[in-house]
Amino acid sequence: MNIILSGLLLGLSITAPVGPTNIEVIRRGLKESWKSSASFCLGVIVALIIYLLLVIFGLSFLTQSKLFNLILLFFGVLVLFYLSYNAVRDFFKKKELDLSGETDNRKNFVSGIILTISNPAVLLLWTGIMGANLASSSASLSKGLLLSFGILIGVVIFFTFLISLIHGGRRFINQKNFKYVSLVAGLVLLYFAIKFSTQFITAIF
């Protein structure tokens, strides 16, 4: 039980800081509805589970491959620039934005998977948690799985809290307010895109 609790606290601590994922959860929820945020978060969780399974089945060696990490980083940069462009574009649109709550849940779900899968830090996270356990006894592996399960619970709890805040705050959002929210979100995403671009260029040279 203590292992699961430790994982839960770790899941909360790695999810709470402002990052591309949380920015997109907020932006999509304010523009569309809580269902949009929930679909996106579900995609994030599915991607986390995919990475966890890859590590369990012995693919943690991929983190040692410079080429693999470069490919992930490259696609991560592309995704972040694309999301940044979409957010900033909403600010400069002259016609009114559709804030009716209409949402394409499949699109948001896939976006959550892509943004998470293209983040090399996610694979490194699971490798750090599970890596030592994979070569150890089944008991150690079980502890690693319990810790990972706790992390997933922490992620779900944080996303549930965030989505609830978005759902409650959406009533105060109008066209003008959302455009400024979208602009700020776009600039934050652009910051992360440039940051990861710098890491990509540095890794190459």
Side-chain angles (χ1 to χ4, degrees), residues 26-56:
I26 294 170
R27 192 182 73 83
R28 290 169 189 262
L30 293 179
K31 183 178 181 180
E32 298 172 3
S33 70
W34 69 269
K35 293 180 181 179
S36 176
S37 291
S39 300
F40 184 84
C41 290
L42 183 60
V44 172
I45 293 169
V46 168
L48 291 176
I49 293 173
I50 290 173
Y51 264 142
L52 172 61
L53 292 176
L54 288 176
V55 172
I56 290 174

Side-chain angles (χ1 to χ4, degrees), residues 17 58 62 65 74 81-82 92-93 95 102 135 150 154 161 166 172 177 182 185 188 190:
L62 289 174
S65 169
F74 175 73
F81 273 119
Y82 174 74
F92 288 103
K93 277 184 178 178
K95 64 179 182 179
E102 295 291 330
F161 172 72
I166 294 169
F172 303 108
N177 291 340
S182 192
V188 173
L190 180 61

Side-chain angles (χ1 to χ4, degrees), residues 51-84:
Y51 264 142
L52 172 61
L53 292 176
L54 288 176
V55 172
I56 290 174
F57 285 108
L59 296 181
S60 58
F61 69 90
L62 289 174
T63 58
Q64 307 301 319
S65 169
K66 183 178 179 181
L67 178 61
F68 180 77
N69 284 298
L70 282 175
I71 291 173
L72 274 185
L73 196 55
F74 175 73
F75 281 106
V77 168
L78 290 182
V79 170
L80 287 171
F81 273 119
Y82 174 74
L83 294 175
S84 174

Side-chain angles (χ1 to χ4, degrees), residues 8 20-21 25 44 61 66 70 86 105 113 115 123 139 174 176 186 196 198-199 205:
L8 188 153
T21 300
V25 170
V44 172
F61 69 90
K66 183 178 179 181
L70 282 175
N86 280 340
N105 291 328
I113 293 178
L115 181 60
L123 181 58
N174 54 33
K176 184 177 180 181
F196 290 137
T198 303
Q199 292 179 6
F205 297 104

Side-chain angles (χ1 to χ4, degrees), residues 124-173:
L124 290 172
L125 169 68
W126 285 131
T127 302
I129 294 170
M130 298 293 294
N133 294 305
L134 291 173
S136 302
S137 64
S138 58
S140 295
L141 178 58
S142 299
K143 290 180 180 179
L145 289 172
L146 287 174
L147 184 65
S148 302
F149 179 66
I151 290 174
L152 291 174
I153 293 176
V155 171
V156 171
I157 290 174
F158 177 79
F159 279 153
T160 301
F161 172 72
L162 184 59
I163 291 170
S164 299
L165 286 180
I166 294 169
H167 181 59
R170 195 171 185 272
R171 74 186 77 173
F172 303 108
I173 294 295

